[in-house]
Amino acid sequence: MTRTEAIALAGRYGASQEMPEQMRADVRLLGALLGRVLQESGPEGLFDDVERLRDATISAYTDDTPEAFARAEEIANGLSGPRAEQVARAFTCFFHLANLAEEHHRVRILREREAQDGPGGPGSAAEAFSDLADEIGAERARERLRGLRFHPVFTAHPTEARRRAVSASIRRLSELLDAHDAANAAAEATGIQRAMLEEIDTLWRTGPLRQEKPSPTDEVRSIMQVFDDTLYTTVPAVYRRLDDVIQPDAAGTAPPIVTPFVRVGSWVGGDRDGNPFVTAAVTRKAAAIASEHVLRGLERTANRIGRSLTLDETSTPPSPALRALWAARAAADDDAAAEIAKRSPGEPHRAMLLLIARRIVATRTRDADLAYADASELLSDLRTVQTSLAEAGAARHAYGQLQIMIWQVETYGFHLAELEVRQHSAVHAKVLRELASGEPLSDQATEVLDVFRTVARLQQRYGLSAAGRYIVSFTQSAADLVAVHELARHAVGPEGTPPVLDVIPLFETFADLQAAPGILAEVVQHPEFAARLAQTDNRLEVMLGYSDSSKDVGPVAATLSLYEAQSLIAEWARESGIELTLFHGRGGSLGRGGGPASSAILAQPPHSVDGRFKLTEQGEVIFARYGDPMIATRHIDQVTGAILRASAPSVELRNRTAARDFADVAATMDAASRERFYALVKADGFAPWFATVTPMEEIGLLALGSRPARRGLSVESLEDLRAIPWVFAWTQARINLAGWFGLGTALEAVGDVGRLREAYARWPLFRTMIDNVAMSLAKADGRIAGRYLDLGDRADLAALVMDEMVLTSSWVTAVTGDAELLENKPVLQRAVKLRSPYVDALSLLQLRALRSLRAQEPGTDPDPDLQRLLLLSVSGIAAGLQNTG
């Protein structure tokens, strides 16, 4: 390896951690190009300083001696301020390139598996459907398929540390890496490498930190990128894959068996809980932006299909219904119809599709004379064309690309994603008190009422599917839910009609989760809830908060209490004849309910899924799961398969039996873990100590999102801190406490390794918990964690954290039977081990800045250069660990 390649990860560990050769080649190439850019564009000596720190952190990681670690610290602390910033940026650039290489290789592997196994490979929806049909019969399996629903909801929670400009540069590099793989000649490859050098130079020169927080509208546009790049085409591709397997001979030539089962929701521009910048005007704009994107997509699709549908009327005669449709639509737009007919002589199906495209444009531009009233009217026109093609014998045209467009309209409508509103129950109570007082309303009360009027307007403009779900944060009583309908009536006045609302409780704390079944039983008796249930065939949605429950009682007790709450709510719903959808408020990190979605679904209580799964997707998770078409297809396909499997009688029996057989283990773990967690977070002075030993305060300075990081101005109370910075701060400190603290004590309280190993083998919830904690601990680092804890003056709390980390690691490996963490997941273990020394370099730079900031005199303004170094390191560590909040 040449000196300019030395920054690459490859070749630093033993054979067990070796990269696949193709990925090694990608990392080596990208590392070499970055090294060249640093030498060409970086200040003199920068590359040498990067090399010195890199070599030292690798030695410290592999040697694991105090002397080696001290040497790495000495180098990090000895850099000048400006040079430390430059080194931090260099390591951050490297992580962006390493992440790109990993994602590129993942896509490569997925393509190879697809070529080998087809769409029905292991873990796929097609395989799950086949297994389900074997278990319950083909007709019942098809019935389950027809009732299937996967409902991701994108949120603007501030957990994406990368700037959009950086993301755009990485996307361009990804395309160049694809082209490099396909290059057939050395000259072509050289030209592509030259373009990659230019792009990496752009990445290096692009400021990694946002100068200003994004506005809610900026966040909406960022999410639209995912729709444009992947979701619009990926979701119908998933439907097609599944249909191909279910009816292999007829797929594409007969009506599909698969009906659209994906619905997309969005909180971006709708979630105003704690975010004063999300106003009714922002909500209206968010809906308009989303509609603009989907209508432009449908317009392009209709034009593309129309231009290709050059089937003449002698070979493919139009049906009477198609002729009648043409006559009606042409009469309303005679000039355009005449021009289209002139360009499509004797091609009635082509002409009709092009005229449909014209009406979609009119819908987008709000031409009242020509616009479609709603998406169902467009669907009717498309189905008329489809039926005409099928009757004329052109089945492949009827059920090919035209079917894809029909699926797109059925999935996205004219609104793209249902815009969900969320507000805190305390805000509703305050506004109701104002209304009752008869005094002039505050600006906040006026805004709250305007939201209901906005929802009504959105429903009139885009249809009921565009908006109507209203989530009540911190639901603690049935009155909190009834308040929403009362406010809606106030908003429209006695003569107005309130919007159609599906009011969704969000149970977040441990106490609220315990009270949930009683609250639900009470609220469904309320007249407006009962009326809505009657309108929707007794459908009800309930949201569960993973983040605050974990911060409330610790990750172990929260996991167990969430399972119990789901089980009780599902049992109540079945007894009450209610079709329940549980909405999982999961974050990206393990401390906020994150982790692999498929294993989480398969660990749910019986009847808590029943073919329907809804969850929040946020921050870096959105782009990791949905940013690449191949990865998005695989993710949706696997989640769909898990949803189908979760309702299989065998899976429900397994989960029910395991929960019963290990109820004593769960009870012991719950009590022990909670006591241990309370010993830490309820200790006097814990909150300010936490703010001292982590970069929690500084994280609030990052321009990650429009939403404030704290509910108040003080960190004296943990309740004032949102779950995202709670998790983010522990992650940055290389402790990851929010994902594992208390588990070691819980397992030791059980004490029986044999019984715990039996639970790991038979109880999916326990296995998922153990595997997630192993991942969380593997990304932690005890030596670096100790340095962060040394920033505080509470040796007792520091010892509590470090003792629990050691205890948890010991018990997790004992339960899994492995010699070290993640030994049973070698690919993940390799990725963590290869990254860790490079993350260590950034951690040492962050510690240097944090230590100096903490040493400043109280009341003085923080040193801006130190703050900038710290924020640069935060961005880099987030990229290296691929986790924020």
Side-chain angles (χ1 to χ4, degrees):
M1 190 183 302
T2 66
R3 194 161 185 257
T4 54
E5 293 172 319
I7 197 171
L9 287 171
R12 281 291 173 179
Y13 300 98
S16 65
Q17 276 77 49
E18 287 291 321
M19 288 188 214
E21 187 52 44
Q22 290 173 301
M23 181 178 163
R24 175 189 291 276
D26 290 339
V27 174
R28 187 174 282 153
L29 171 64
L30 293 169
L33 296 177
L34 175 59
R36 185 170 171 182
V37 164
L38 292 179
Q39 290 179 314
E40 292 175 353
S41 302
E44 184 178 354
L46 171 61
F47 184 81
D48 293 332
D49 286 338
V50 170
E51 285 293 276
R52 284 196 306 127
L53 183 56
R54 183 191 63 81
D55 284 338
T57 52
I58 288 176
S59 295
Y61 188 79
T62 54
D63 294 350
D64 197 22
T65 62
E67 294 77 16
F69 190 72
R71 171 62 181 157
E73 282 188 297
E74 181 184 355
I75 293 172
N77 293 334
L79 298 171
S80 68
R83 180 50 53 87
E85 280 192 24
Q86 294 156 2
V87 170
R89 286 184 64 170
F91 275 96
T92 301
C93 281
F94 171 72
F95 278 127
H96 290 319
L97 298 178
N99 292 343
L100 169 60
E102 282 190 0
E103 181 177 287
H104 187 71
H105 188 67
R106 185 180 173 197
V107 170
R108 181 187 289 132
I109 293 299
L110 289 175
R111 286 174 180 156
E112 290 174 359
R113 288 177 181 170
E114 182 87 1
Q116 178 180 328
D117 301 328
S124 67
E127 182 192 57
F129 177 82
S130 177
D131 291 346
L132 188 62
D134 289 343
E135 184 171 344
I136 66 174
E139 187 50 45
R140 287 183 63 197
R142 288 190 181 191
E143 184 181 338
R144 298 278 180 92
L145 184 61
R146 285 191 291 271
L148 183 70
R149 179 60 55 89
F150 171 46
H151 196 154
V153 178
F154 296 152
T155 82
H157 288 348
T159 65
E160 171 59 270
R162 291 188 316 200
R163 284 185 60 199
R164 286 176 63 185
V166 171
S167 298
S169 181
I170 293 167
R171 283 198 308 276
R172 293 191 294 269
L173 273 167
S174 178
E175 292 168 2
L176 289 170
L177 203 52
D178 282 334
H180 191 268
D181 282 352
N184 294 318
E188 184 181 2
T190 299
I192 293 168
Q193 288 182 24
R194 188 178 301 113
M196 293 171 77
L197 267 172
E198 183 178 348
E199 196 58 65
I200 291 173
D201 191 64
T202 298
L203 183 64
W204 162 248
R205 293 174 185 271
T206 298
L209 301 177
R210 297 183 182 96
Q211 297 302 307
E212 296 180 351
K213 284 181 175 287
S215 69
T217 304
D218 293 332
E219 292 168 335
V220 172
R221 297 192 188 282
S222 181
I223 294 298
M224 288 303 104
Q225 173 195 316
V226 175
F227 172 76
D228 292 343
D229 292 350
T230 58
L231 282 181
Y232 182 67
T233 54
T234 294
V235 170
V238 172
Y239 302 155
R240 176 64 79 199
R241 285 161 56 91
L242 185 53
D243 202 61
D244 284 347
V245 174
I246 293 175
Q247 50 171 356
D249 298 326
T253 62
I257 291 174
V258 174
T259 54
F261 53 79
V262 175
R263 293 294 182 272
V264 179
S266 176
W267 283 9
V268 189
D271 179 12
R272 57 246 309 132
D273 177 15
N275 191 343
F277 305 109
V278 177
T279 62
V282 166
T283 300
R284 290 192 293 272
K285 190 167 186 178
I289 291 170
S291 179
E292 170 87 5
H293 277 258
V294 73
L295 287 170
R296 283 190 181 277
L298 293 172
E299 173 193 336
R300 287 191 296 268
T301 301
N303 275 315
R304 176 176 53 78
I305 297 173
R307 285 192 296 268
S308 68
L309 212 58
T310 54
L311 316 178
D312 69 58
E313 58 189 345
T314 56
S315 67
T316 317
S319 67
L322 186 77
R323 290 185 185 277
L325 179 64
W326 170 264
R329 299 300 185 226
D333 195 7
D334 51 356
D335 289 342
E339 176 62 27
I340 289 171
K342 183 179 178 181
R343 290 190 285 116
S344 311
E347 297 168 343
H349 296 92
R350 181 177 192 267
M352 191 68 246
L353 255 296
L354 294 176
L355 196 56
I356 285 172
R358 278 269 305 173
R359 292 202 74 197
I360 295 172
V361 174
T363 306
R364 178 172 57 79
T365 57
R366 306 194 69 173
D367 181 339
D369 293 333
L370 298 177
Y372 281 110
D374 52 37
S376 64
E377 191 179 4
L378 170 58
L379 276 173
S380 177
D381 284 4
L382 292 174
R383 290 196 173 110
T384 298
V385 177
Q386 185 179 58
T387 302
S388 179
L389 287 166
E391 290 174 352
R396 291 197 179 279
H397 295 282
Y399 303 112
Q401 289 302 306
L402 183 58
Q403 179 60 50
I404 294 290
M405 183 176 179
I406 289 172
W407 276 331
Q408 287 167 325
V409 178
E410 290 175 319
T411 300
Y412 299 117
F414 287 169
H415 60 282
L416 194 162
E418 180 178 356
L419 197 56
E420 300 188 357
V421 173
R422 183 173 73 138
Q423 184 56 281
H424 200 289
S425 59
V427 172
H428 295 152
K430 179 176 180 291
V431 175
L432 285 173
R433 287 195 298 271
E434 287 191 37
L435 289 165
S437 73
E439 298 294 324
L441 296 181
S442 65
D443 289 344
Q444 183 185 48
T446 301
E447 173 62 34
V448 167
L449 296 178
D450 197 19
V451 170
F452 293 100
R453 294 186 281 267
T454 293
V455 171
R457 284 196 287 270
L458 295 182
Q459 291 179 345
Q460 292 166 3
R461 172 75 178 90
Y462 306 111
L464 293 181
S465 298
R469 282 181 167 86
Y470 196 112
I471 295 102
V472 182
S473 298
F474 281 89
T475 296
Q476 297 181 318
S477 69
D480 289 336
L481 304 174
V482 173
V484 176
H485 289 291
E486 187 175 350
L487 288 166
R489 290 194 301 274
H490 277 289
V492 299
E495 303 300 320
T497 302
V500 177
L501 295 174
D502 291 303
V503 181
I504 300 169
L506 169 51
F507 299 112
E508 300 185 72
T509 67
F510 175 77
D512 297 340
L513 288 168
Q514 295 293 301
I519 293 171
L520 293 170
E522 179 183 349
V523 81
V524 295
Q525 303 302 318
H526 187 272
E528 282 160 314
F529 274 85
R532 185 58 182 157
L533 285 172
Q535 293 168 358
T536 61
D537 296 326
N538 271 11
R539 295 191 183 98
L540 181 68
E541 201 166 294
V542 176
M543 186 172 183
L544 306 171
Y546 285 65
S547 305
D548 280 284
S549 59
S550 180
K551 185 164 70 74
D552 188 28
V553 293
V556 177
T559 298
L560 296 171
S561 65
L562 280 160
Y563 185 92
E564 181 184 7
Q566 290 177 71
S567 182
L568 293 172
I569 293 169
E571 182 181 350
W572 165 81
R574 279 174 63 81
E575 292 174 352
S576 305
I578 285 173
E579 184 181 294
L580 173 71
T581 296
L582 287 174
F583 181 7
H584 301 265
R586 291 158 52 95
S589 65
L590 299 177
R592 298 185 56 240
S598 297
S599 59
I601 293 168
L602 291 170
Q604 300 303 306
H607 302 297
S608 64
V609 177
D610 271 350
R612 299 172 298 279
F613 188 69
K614 183 177 179 182
L615 80 165
T616 52
E617 302 274 35
Q618 55 196 255
E620 77 276 5
V621 172
I622 294 174
F623 294 95
R625 289 178 174 169
Y626 302 98
D628 178 90
M630 195 76 188
I631 291 174
T633 299
R634 177 64 170 168
H635 171 67
I636 296 170
D637 188 44
Q638 284 191 312
V639 169
T640 302
I643 297 170
L644 284 170
R645 288 184 190 279
S647 60
S650 58
V651 172
E652 292 189 337
L653 177 63
R654 178 197 65 188
N655 290 359
R656 182 184 299 109
T657 303
R660 181 196 64 213
D661 291 351
F662 297 104
D664 58 325
V665 172
T668 300
M669 291 178 62
D670 175 72
S673 68
R674 192 181 322 205
E675 182 180 356
R676 184 69 158 174
F677 186 74
Y678 286 166
L680 178 67
V681 302
K682 292 185 181 297
D684 289 342
F686 170 79
W689 174 79
F690 163 63
T692 300
V693 302
T694 70
M696 188 276 291
E697 290 278 8
E698 289 75 14
I699 285 170
L701 301 175
L702 275 174
L704 294 183
S706 63
R707 194 172 185 232
R710 293 201 298 269
R711 294 188 173 94
L713 298 176
S714 170
V715 293
E716 291 302 314
S717 169
L718 197 59
E719 286 71 28
D720 289 330
L721 183 67
R722 296 193 184 280
I724 290 171
W726 162 256
V727 174
F728 200 167
W730 286 121
T731 302
Q732 286 285 315
R734 306 294 298 283
I735 299 171
N736 287 344
L737 179 143
W740 55 262
F741 190 88
L743 179 62
T745 296
L747 297 175
E748 188 171 67
V750 176
D752 186 339
V753 174
R755 182 115 167 94
L756 291 170
R757 286 184 176 177
E758 182 189 2
Y760 185 71
R762 292 182 46 213
W763 186 14
L765 179 72
F766 183 76
R767 186 181 190 92
T768 300
M769 184 194 305
I770 293 293
D771 288 346
N772 284 346
V773 166
M775 191 189 327
S776 187
L777 284 169
K779 289 184 177 183
D781 186 285
R783 296 169 306 172
I784 290 178
R787 295 296 195 272
Y788 279 92
L789 296 176
D790 286 344
L791 295 171
D793 58 359
R794 293 291 299 276
D796 57 331
L797 298 182
L800 189 60
V801 171
M802 296 304 295
D803 289 349
E804 187 67 20
M805 180 185 283
V806 172
L807 184 67
T808 304
S809 296
S810 174
W811 272 100
V812 166
T813 52
V815 169
T816 60
D818 297 330
E820 57 183 352
L821 295 168
L822 297 181
E823 189 175 300
N824 59 347
K825 298 184 183 301
V827 174
L828 181 58
Q829 184 190 55
R830 180 191 65 222
V832 171
K833 285 191 172 185
L834 290 172
R835 286 168 177 275
S836 289
Y838 295 80
V839 180
D840 292 352
L842 286 165
S843 293
L844 292 176
L845 292 173
Q846 185 178 108
L847 273 164
R848 158 195 168 145
L850 202 56
R851 195 177 291 115
S852 297
L853 285 168
R854 297 292 182 265
Q856 288 187 297
E857 288 293 327
T860 59
D861 291 334
D863 185 318
D865 292 333
L866 289 172
Q867 278 193 331
R868 179 169 174 79
L869 173 59
L870 190 141
L871 296 180
L872 285 168
S873 68
V874 167
S875 177
I877 291 170
L881 295 175
Q882 296 181 298
N883 272 117
T884 53

